[in-house]
Amino acid sequence: MKTNELTFPGLQCVQPASGDVEITGGYTSDLLSDVMAHLKEGDALITIQAHKNTVAVASLTGASAVILCHGRTASPDMLQAAAKENIAVFVSPGSQFENTCALAKCLGK
Amino acid sequence: MKAFIDFHIHSCLSPCASLEMSPRTIVARSKAAGIDCIALTDHSCAENLPAFHAACAEAGMSCLYGLEASTAEEVHVLCIFDDLSRAMDFGRMIYSHLPAKPNNPKLFGTQPVVTVNEEVTHFVKKLLNIGTDISFFHLVPMALDAGALCIPSHIDREMCGAISHLGFLPDLPYDAVEVVGDVPAEIARRWPVVRFSDAHQPEQIARRFTEVETEAFTVPALREAFQRLLLK
């Protein structure tokens, strides 16, 4: 599934990515060192960490997108970094669990 | 003596800090702002402390030597020494506990080690603004045993603050807690509350500071001075 095709109830795209970025899986974590160690290329990162470093870690690990939970607002510098790194950023009112389940359903997992 | 202190300042070594944050700039800005004693506290690395020491010495600025260690839970803790070599030893130990991930300067920023004359000697290899593998509950006694003032950073901040990352502030013998906003009275009665700038750019130096009544700028004297800040 491409990032621009991702949709589930409550999910809002706040920073689209251009091109054919494919979401192949998901990784849910709020510890960026843990994300850095375990996220697999193509995973969408599901987190509450709504700041610039999240994008840096996402880019380093090859994450396809970032989904911010509990309706957290992405900081302006986070969105700028995401635009630069071409990483889609989504916001959803759901919890980490709810977003993980919703993404898994979208991916048929 | 009464003194204004700012013990949370990053130099250009911290990837998230401005390259303008050379030791001399930090000292000059702090002096201009009327700060009496400063500490350099880069993320999990002490390598700019020698240049900082030289910059303070040439300007007659009182200083302490620190670093801001990041725990396994990504909680930031200020560890501040009055002895340069102890700070360097502690810094090397903390650095060795960082993951073996090289920094990507394009994504995180550069990590230059500089001389007092603002020449870059080399770049620190591992990414500095990420958690070490030392838990918060271990780091606090490690810092105190090593002879440092141990002060959890910005405890009330969502990003890398103790309350947000641990769920509550554990009851440990910190010398003080650094806050950014308002703090509940039960915390201010239990630990001295300090405010420092957490400057990453020159214009942020002294944006927050703390006034203390201290005999000297040593760890024991400051520990005593902090006790006078406790909310009665």
Side-chain angles (χ1 to χ4, degrees):
Chain A
M1 169 180 280
K2 308 273 188 274
T3 55
N4 55 15
E5 295 165 350
L6 181 65
T7 173
F8 57 78
L11 188 76
Q12 189 198 345
C13 182
V14 291
Q15 177 64 54
S18 60
D20 288 341
V21 182
E22 188 81 22
I23 303 176
T24 51
Y27 192 74
T28 307
S29 179
D30 298 322
L31 262 191
L32 293 180
S33 50
D34 172 65
V35 173
M36 197 132 105
H38 299 293
L39 185 138
K40 290 192 186 68
E41 197 175 336
D43 283 351
L45 170 61
I46 297 166
T47 186
I48 56 167
Q49 296 286 1
H51 52 80
K52 193 177 148 191
N53 256 23
T54 309
V55 173
V57 169
S59 177
L60 196 71
T61 51
S64 51
V66 177
I67 299 173
L68 299 174
C69 305
H70 295 298
R72 295 216 176 196
T73 312
S75 63
D77 61 354
M78 178 185 188
L79 294 180
Q80 276 167 23
K84 204 171 142 211
E85 298 300 323
N86 197 37
I87 292 177
V89 179
F90 297 86
V91 178
S92 153
S95 68
Q96 288 89 327
F97 176 74
E98 287 158 347
N99 286 310
T100 304
C101 294
L103 177 66
K105 214 168 154 185
C106 290
L107 295 175
K109 294 193 181 218
Chain B
M1 63 177 152
K2 270 196 178 0
F4 295 117
I5 58 170
D6 183 356
F7 289 172
H8 190 170
I9 302 175
H10 293 268
S11 79
C12 51
L13 174 60
S14 295
C16 40
S18 160
L19 286 176
E20 292 169 53
M21 291 294 267
S22 70
R24 272 191 186 139
T25 296
I26 291 169
V27 174
R29 283 274 186 161
S30 303
K31 268 204 144 176
I35 300 293
D36 300 301
C37 183
I38 54 176
L40 182 66
T41 51
D42 281 309
H43 289 296
S44 297
C45 187
E47 287 205 42
N48 266 353
L49 289 177
F52 171 72
H53 169 77
C56 289
E58 70 182 14
M61 181 70 165
S62 297
C63 68
L64 294 176
Y65 313 100
L67 69 158
E68 186 178 31
S70 180
T71 70
E73 306 87 353
E74 289 174 5
V75 176
H76 290 178
V77 181
L78 297 170
C79 308
I80 299 168
F81 296 81
D82 55 14
D83 180 272
L84 177 59
S85 70
R86 275 193 184 198
M88 296 300 291
D89 286 346
F90 194 76
R92 278 187 283 270
M93 184 276 293
I94 293 292
Y95 182 81
S96 74
H97 283 271
L98 284 168
K101 293 269 180 192
N103 177 34
N104 181 330
K106 272 192 192 155
L107 293 171
F108 295 97
T110 55
Q111 303 180 155
V113 175
V114 296
T115 67
V116 68
N117 295 320
E118 306 184 355
E119 295 143 346
V120 176
T121 61
H122 60 285
F123 293 89
V124 168
K125 208 172 160 212
K126 291 200 274 187
L127 174 63
L128 296 177
N129 61 350
I130 199 85
T132 60
D133 61 3
I134 308 170
S135 90
F136 181 83
F137 298 88
H138 285 112
L139 180 76
V140 172
M142 278 164 87
L144 292 170
D145 288 350
L149 290 168
C150 180
I151 306 172
S153 309
H154 38 66
I155 58 161
D156 52 339
R157 201 182 77 178
E158 197 161 82
M159 184 182 166
C160 303
I163 295 173
S164 111
H165 284 229
L166 300 173
F168 62 97
L169 189 62
D171 193 2
L172 296 171
Y174 322 115
D175 291 299
V177 292
E178 186 204 25
V179 306
V180 179
D182 296 326
V183 70
E186 60 264 30
I187 286 184
R189 281 194 205 99
R190 174 70 181 88
W191 296 284
V193 167
V194 293
R195 289 168 198 277
F196 300 138
S197 69
D198 192 7
H200 285 68
Q201 290 164 33
E203 61 273 18
Q204 294 174 339
I205 289 173
R207 64 178 166 175
R208 290 182 292 271
F209 56 84
T210 295
E211 184 177 358
V212 289
E213 174 70 45
T214 187
E215 297 290 309
F217 297 121
T218 61
V219 166
L222 285 158
R223 193 164 272 154
E224 211 178 297
F226 287 163
Q227 285 300 310
R228 290 192 271 273
L229 300 174
L230 275 174
L231 188 66
K232 296 282 182 325

